[in-house]
């Protein structure tokens, strides 16, 4: 393993590098709740009735009866023809995320990956895997850091693997990351598209994590898990019932929530006997994803960093719709609004089944503070020439760090191999002279 003292100053240098300043892609608000400050008006909506998904759902409901909320959410968000992400993919338009607010988020996540890579003894290759990359801003900012630290990575084979279900957003990502120079692959290949980043790194696109090749990897999921379908359950006098979506008998072209008349397979499988809440949301797709990541990280090493809004098994009804930066009725015009539910980190921890270690959730402002956000901001402020740029930088810092904005609402959660946190054998830990370096972000980034 390379002594830390030789590597860490490079990370410190990365925080101090001037680098290219990315222009803000949008100026928006935390978690899409507020319209962009000072704008007075949210971006205009394209006239869109959501007729496609609604028509399809009404036919389905008439034919087969009520749907689970998970089936409803899946159709509304990822129906290949008419789903929200397939058609509209509203990052910036309906909601704003941290990588869009500031380049600093991606830069610090890039440093986080490098810090973990160095702690693992600088493996000869690593994959950067991003799930649900939106516009591609996070990966773009990470790749800029990798490029600035090219000397550190000169002997490492780095590749990028993006899991994206939306054809529209994969085009946006291709434009951002490669300047649009991509090639579609034939159906029998795991990746549906490939290209080379502006900095010369190969990039591949996939429809699911199962298609991404295995090996030492960093898996990133920024505001991805909150878009995965949830089941909703209600405690009643007769026991747990599942919340379902059905046609409103009073208005046959509208939808309403109903309760299942009896228990369903989901109530049997997903409600824990010790549950104390009266209303519970469970996201089995997130559970399956965590199991897959846990198996991969246990076998090949690497880490996963999950950033999202969420809770530790305490909240109840968090299912929400957003359109044009405003709350939107989740059952109205499906396909035209983003649907989301808070991530239950306690469920993710449970689904890791002890195969790997978990860290967090830790508040975004604490994670970024530990990663050196203040030093990075100082450098960007010093290097900015005009007051408008400085104002914009201060505004984005406030958005990321203010407890009332993204600072306290968003959390970071990591999956790591057990050996990253504890030496596998007592004897080895006695022999080992150097203690394991702390995991940056969850403790302070060691720069010396
Ligand atoms: N990570 C980005 C975008 C978040 S929006 C950011 O923070 O800015 C959610 C992203 O996940 C979009 O890119 C959407 O198209 C993608 N997505 C949603 N459901 C998906 C699924 N089931 N499989 C793969 N990608 C999905």
């Amino acid at each position: 393993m390379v002594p830390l003292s030789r590597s860490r100053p490079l990370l410190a240098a990365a925080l101090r590098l001037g680098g290219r300043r990315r222009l803000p892609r949008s100026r928006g608000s935390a978690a899409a709740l507020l319209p962009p400050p000072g704008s007075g008006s949210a971006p205009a909506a394209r006239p869109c009735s959501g007729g496609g998904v609604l028509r399809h759902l009404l036919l389905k409901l008439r034919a087969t009866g009520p749907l689970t909320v998970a089936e409803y959410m899946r159709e509304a968000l990822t129906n290949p023809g008419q789903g929200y992400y397939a058609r509209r993919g509203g990052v910036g338009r309906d909601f704003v995320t941290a990588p869009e607010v500031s380049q600093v988020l991606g830069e610090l996540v890039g440093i986080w990956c490098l810090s973990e890579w160095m702690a693992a003894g600088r493996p000869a290759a690593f994959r950067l895997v991003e799930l649900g990359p939106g516009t591609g801003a996070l990966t773009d900012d990470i790749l800029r850091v990798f490029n600035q630290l090219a000397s550190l990575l000169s002997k490492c084979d780095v590749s990028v693997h993006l899991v994206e279900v939306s054809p529209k957003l994969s085009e946006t990502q291709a434009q951002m990351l490669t300047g649009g120079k991509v090639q579609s692959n034939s159906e029998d290949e795991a990746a549906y598209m490939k290209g080379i980043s502006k900095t010369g790194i190969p990039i591949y696109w996939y429809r699911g994590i199962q298609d991404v090749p295995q090996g030492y990897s960093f898996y990133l999921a920024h505001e991805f898990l909150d878009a995965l379908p949830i089941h909703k359950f209600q405690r009643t006098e007769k026991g747990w019932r599942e919340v379902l979506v059905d046609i409103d008998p009073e208005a046959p072209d509208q939808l309403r929530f109903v309760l299942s008349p009896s228990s369903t397979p989901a109530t049997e499988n997903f409600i824990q006997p010790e549950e104390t809440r009266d209303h519970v949301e469970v996201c089995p797709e997130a559970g399956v994803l965590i199991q897959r990541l846990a198996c991969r990280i246990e076998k090949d090493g690497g880490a996963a960093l999950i950033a999202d809004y969420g809770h530790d098994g305490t909240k109840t009804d968090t299912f929400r719709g957003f359109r044009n930066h405003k709350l939107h009725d989740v059952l109205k015009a499906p396909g035209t609004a983003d649907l989301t539910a808070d991530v239950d980190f306690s469920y993710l921890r449970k689904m890791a089944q002890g195969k790997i270690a978990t860290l967090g959730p830790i508040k975004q402002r604490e994670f970024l503070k530990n990663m050196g956000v203040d030093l990075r901001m100082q450098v960007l402020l010093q290097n900015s020439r005009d007051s408008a740029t400085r104002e914009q930088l201060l505004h984005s810092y406030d958005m990321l760090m203010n407890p009332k904005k993204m600072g306290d609402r968003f959390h970071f959660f990591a999956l790591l191999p057990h050996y990253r946190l504890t030496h596998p054998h007592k004897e080895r830990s006695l022999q080992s002279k150097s203690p394991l370096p702390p995991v940056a972000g969850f403790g302070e980034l060691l720069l010396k």
Side-chain angles (χ1 to χ4, degrees), residues 78 85 91 95 97 99-100 130-135 163-166 169 173 207 222-224 227-228 285:
T78 55
Y85 283 114
V91 188
F95 57 95
T97 64
E100 300 293 321
E130 189 183 354
L131 303 157
T135 63
V163 176
E164 177 55 74
V165 82
S166 158
L169 281 172
Q173 293 147 19
R207 295 200 173 80
H222 190 278
E223 281 213 50
F224 173 70
L228 298 182
E285 276 190 34

